[in-house]
Amino acid sequence: MRAFYGTTLANPLMLGTAQYPSPAILEAAFRESGASVATVSLRREGADGAGQTFWSMIRDLGVHVLPNTAGCHTVKEAVTTAHMAREIFDTPWIKLELIGHTDSLQPEVFQLVEAATVLTEDGFQVFPYTTEDLIVGERLLAAGCEVLMPWGAPIGSGRGLNNPYALRAMRAEFPDVPLVVDAGIGLPSHAAQAMELGYDAVLLNTSVARAGDPVAMARAMMGAVEAGALAYQADPIEARDMAEASTPVIGKAFLT
């Protein structure tokens, strides 16, 4: 399994912490999923008792914490939020999210590269939420990022992988870079598909948190990422346009 800034994850599932019906369900879903990483928003960690209780629960899960810059629209916002998150969560990891389009929540890739450059120079280990554009990927790597997190589909849409061709091309273009499909996963089959393309992890939130049974869905996602990873490692057969008999005809009796 590929390392993320020198850290090898026990499970290729990264799980968000927002929108769960209750803290108890959030905790149960995490434990059932086996997720190795919890993404957290700075807004969830406040000075009040609720914020401290939330942070205590996340620490007790024993997972890696990936703070994010959710809701930021400018470089200044994102950089300021990242510095605050590093101080509060005591980690150099940061999921850099810089939104450029209100309806689709598509990343603002020009400012994303600028912010990534600033943060890596400040000692952050940046996980950039980006599109599947190869040129943007190259610019982010040149800015110092060692991980790329292209979207599968718009955040919270549950549409799965809108552009498998582009995601496959990104995997081929950057064979040695850890890649994570981030956003848009709605079903376990979507998560499995991402892993079957050779991606190293999947990050999701809404599909588990807002499911009718978040704990059961968390369990399903765990199985899906494991199955997809095993399928990729097994070197699956190529799709064919025509049938190919699976039973050999050599030695078959011919009746006249």
Side-chain angles (χ1 to χ4, degrees):
M1 193 173 293
R2 212 181 303 263
F4 295 82
Y5 291 102
T7 298
T8 300
L9 304 180
N11 186 301
L13 181 60
M14 302 179 177
L15 196 55
T17 56
Q19 304 183 37
Y20 289 83
S22 71
I25 292 177
L26 186 159
E27 182 177 5
F30 256 89
R31 296 195 184 283
E32 199 64 37
S33 72
S36 295
V37 174
T39 61
V40 295
S41 171
L42 184 64
R43 292 166 181 78
R44 297 295 303 277
E45 172 61 25
D48 60 2
Q52 294 299 327
T53 299
F54 168 78
W55 182 217
S56 177
M57 178 184 65
I58 296 300
R59 283 199 304 265
D60 289 344
L61 290 173
V63 298
H64 298 282
V65 176
L66 178 60
N68 65 40
T69 62
C72 292
H73 294 265
T74 67
V75 172
K76 183 178 180 179
E77 270 188 294
V79 169
T80 300
T81 301
H83 277 275
M84 294 172 65
R86 181 166 63 180
E87 182 175 341
I88 291 173
F89 298 111
D90 191 28
T91 176
W93 282 14
I94 190 73
K95 176 188 170 184
L96 181 57
E97 190 174 313
L98 227 164
I99 300 302
H101 190 265
T102 303
D103 292 333
S104 68
L105 301 181
Q106 180 170 328
E108 212 293 9
V109 295
F110 302 102
Q111 293 194 80
L112 184 69
V113 173
E114 183 180 346
T117 301
V118 172
L119 290 173
T120 54
E121 289 176 352
D122 287 344
F124 285 89
Q125 296 174 341
V126 180
F127 292 67
Y129 167 60
T130 183
T131 64
E132 63 275 77
D133 187 282
L134 299 182
I135 305 304
V136 175
E138 288 179 351
R139 298 292 172 82
L140 288 167
L141 295 174
C145 298
E146 297 181 14
V147 176
L148 296 176
M149 301 178 70
W151 64 346
I155 294 171
S157 67
R159 294 181 57 86
L161 308 187
N162 274 351
N163 196 341
Y165 168 81
L167 291 171
R168 187 180 294 109
M170 179 168 271
R171 177 71 285 172
E173 182 71 14
F174 306 117
D176 300 320
V177 176
L179 299 180
V180 182
V181 169
D182 177 11
I185 300 297
L187 295 169
S189 57
H190 300 156
Q193 184 184 12
M195 299 302 293
E196 287 167 3
L197 290 177
Y199 277 67
D200 301 292
V202 171
L203 196 162
L204 53 91
N205 186 169
T206 308
S207 56
V208 169
R210 299 184 63 179
D213 186 340
V215 177
M217 185 59 76
R219 188 185 311 125
M221 289 296 183
M222 176 186 68
V225 296
E226 290 179 346
L230 285 172
Y232 178 74
Q233 294 165 14
D235 190 17
I237 64 171
E238 294 289 335
R240 295 170 53 90
D241 290 329
M242 302 296 290
E244 180 181 19
S246 57
T247 302
V249 297
I250 297 176
K252 178 182 176 181
F254 289 91
L255 304 178
T256 58

